[in-house]
Amino acid sequence: MTMTITNAQSPELQGYLRADGRKGIRNVVAVAYLVECAHHVAREIVAQFRPAFDAFDDPAREQEPPVHLIGFPGCYPNSYAEKMMERLTTHPNVGAVLFVSLGCESMNKHHLVDAVRASGRPAHVLTIQEKGGTRSTIQNGLDWVREARETLGRQQKVPMALDELIVGTICGGSDGTSGITANPAVGRAFDALVEAGAACVFEETGELVGCEYHMEKRAARPELGREIVACVAKAARYYSILGHGSFAVGNADGGLTTQEEKSLGAYAKSGASPIVGIVKPGDIPPTGGLYLLDVVPDGEPRFGFPNISDNAEIAELIACGAHVILFTTGRGSVVGSAISPVIKVCANPTTYRNLAGDMDVDAGRILEGRATLDEVGREVFDVTVAVAAGAPSKSEALGHQEFILTYKTFEPVGPACLPAGAAARNVVEIALQ
């Protein structure tokens, strides 16, 4: 069952037009450290621009471009990390980028700054070893960010339609209520967004073990169905080698009984729309429709667990172009994200009452008979549109900017994974770079 969104119901948004034709719902100045040794300097630069918790109550402050901290801690080369950093710093929600380098890390800062400038955004790199150390680099960074904010503050918004949105979803802190309330409510919202032409991305294959043949039946093409089955099989094998599945102690404490129960609950977030493609971290969906994000690395396990926390997965959804992230939780989570706002959909009514200040939608009303699944699904859709139109999510208003990027390795997606046409071929070509 899906919710029907008519043309009369479809709101028009406004966004920041980028040189590649994409539009952002935020105009963030990203400060990106390129190795852990530069983390402190970058953090100190960002700290000078953090708004007070009540900043969103002040209309004048709402117009100031926010400054967000992202980064990569590793010193050794990794093509996944470099691709992720390039996609994140050219994300449509990002208006300008300051890279902070120590000077001897492996991340290719010159390529990154050139890529951001080529995308039409202001970009600059500061190298601590060449700028006189901590104090001098921080001061240089503060000066550059102030100028970038002034430039971005003069940028005008343009009309933006729902079919220009990319929305991601993730679950974290799942419990026995997640698969009954919040996850299927997000599935209803996904169906409505897909109907309106948006691209929607769900993951994670490690939490979908057992659901692969259900997804195969929903695949838009037989060859895509086979790729979905192989994708989940890869995840199952990866976790088996590690000796640990995606079923955590906290899930059991929250009332989940088996991996299968958790998988079915996570699967509910995808809704009922046809699955039109598979993407990997950093691949941008070439069309509207529903996509599966494969977050499990290719090859033999080399870098440990596929993702060490929910925020690593959020970063991957954002690298795929997601403007907004729908985060379902039963036990409760307070994290947000840099770059793209996170909307919390709370599955458990008790958790919602305890953490109401961090939750955007109370899906637990379904359990208590205070709302239907369709009604909560419609609310998730409406909140998504409101946040895309500029309203802050709870985590955004509280100043949450969690971010994690680690090591992984991926092969490019094959042609069977993407819709046919020139746009899909372009994504494959990008993935091969």
Side-chain angles (χ1 to χ4, degrees), residues 68-387:
H68 290 188
L69 178 67
I70 64 173
F72 177 63
C75 194
Y76 295 95
N78 183 250
S79 58
Y80 157 83
E82 292 206 358
K83 177 180 179 180
M84 284 283 292
M85 187 63 74
E86 181 176 343
R87 293 294 186 271
L88 291 163
T89 52
T90 56
H91 188 281
N93 286 356
V94 173
V97 185
L98 175 66
F99 294 103
V100 182
S101 158
L102 175 63
C104 52
E105 68 278 349
S106 65
M107 187 73 77
N108 190 335
K109 60 190 175 186
H110 302 296
H111 168 77
L112 288 171
V113 76
D114 287 346
V116 175
R117 287 173 178 166
S119 75
R121 296 164 171 83
H124 187 57
V125 61
L126 292 174
T127 302
I128 297 169
Q129 292 170 348
E130 299 172 359
K131 286 292 180 182
T134 298
R135 292 183 185 276
S136 177
T137 308
I138 290 173
Q139 187 56 58
N140 275 269
L142 293 174
D143 293 341
W144 190 88
V145 171
R146 288 192 188 99
E147 291 182 8
R149 292 181 92 200
E150 290 178 5
T151 299
L152 295 185
R154 294 190 292 269
Q155 187 173 355
Q156 298 297 310
K157 291 184 177 182
V158 300
M160 180 176 179
L162 278 180
D163 63 9
E164 297 178 272
L165 273 182
I166 300 177
V167 181
T169 190
I170 176 178
C171 48
S174 298
D175 70 4
T177 68
S178 296
I180 303 171
T181 61
N183 289 352
V186 166
R188 292 287 202 275
F190 257 32
D191 289 338
L193 287 162
V194 167
E195 183 186 357
C200 292
V201 186
F202 73 105
E203 49 82 62
E204 140 196 30
T205 46
E207 293 189 352
L208 293 169
V209 174
C211 299
E212 57 268 38
Y213 296 106
H214 297 290
M215 292 188 287
E216 182 184 25
K217 292 176 182 177
R218 291 172 57 194
R221 304 170 303 283
E223 63 271 24
L224 173 61
R226 291 189 290 271
E227 292 287 345
I228 290 172
V229 172
C231 185
V232 177
K234 178 188 72 170
R237 178 178 177 274
Y238 196 102
Y239 276 104
S240 177
I241 291 172
L242 290 178
H244 192 291
S246 66
F247 189 88
V249 173
N251 298 140
D253 290 343
L256 286 170
T257 59
T258 61
Q259 174 68 56
E260 290 78 9
E261 183 183 7
K262 183 179 181 183
S263 291
L264 286 168
Y267 173 64
K269 299 195 308 299
S270 67
S273 302
I275 301 171
V276 300
I278 299 173
V279 291
K280 295 184 180 183
D283 295 337
I284 299 167
T287 66
L290 181 65
Y291 291 82
L292 171 64
L293 173 59
D294 175 12
V295 301
V296 175
D298 293 319
E300 296 300 314
R302 297 176 59 196
F303 303 114
F305 292 110
N307 278 313
I308 61 175
S309 73
D310 295 327
N311 278 94
E313 296 170 25
I314 291 174
E316 291 179 331
L317 286 165
I318 296 172
C320 291
H323 296 87
V324 180
I325 307 296
L326 303 179
F327 190 127
T328 66
T329 184
R331 301 204 67 191
S333 171
V334 301
V335 302
S337 176
I339 298 178
S340 295
V342 171
I343 295 170
K344 293 287 178 44
V345 183
C346 188
N348 190 316
T350 301
T351 301
Y352 181 84
R353 285 188 281 269
N354 189 41
L355 296 173
D358 289 273
M359 301 295 144
D360 298 275
V361 177
D362 177 11
R365 291 177 296 152
I366 298 168
L367 279 183
E368 297 182 332
R370 295 183 287 117
T372 67
L373 183 56
D374 280 341
E375 287 170 341
V376 176
R378 178 71 210 202
E379 182 182 353
V380 175
F381 175 89
D382 290 341
V383 172
T384 302
V385 173
V387 169

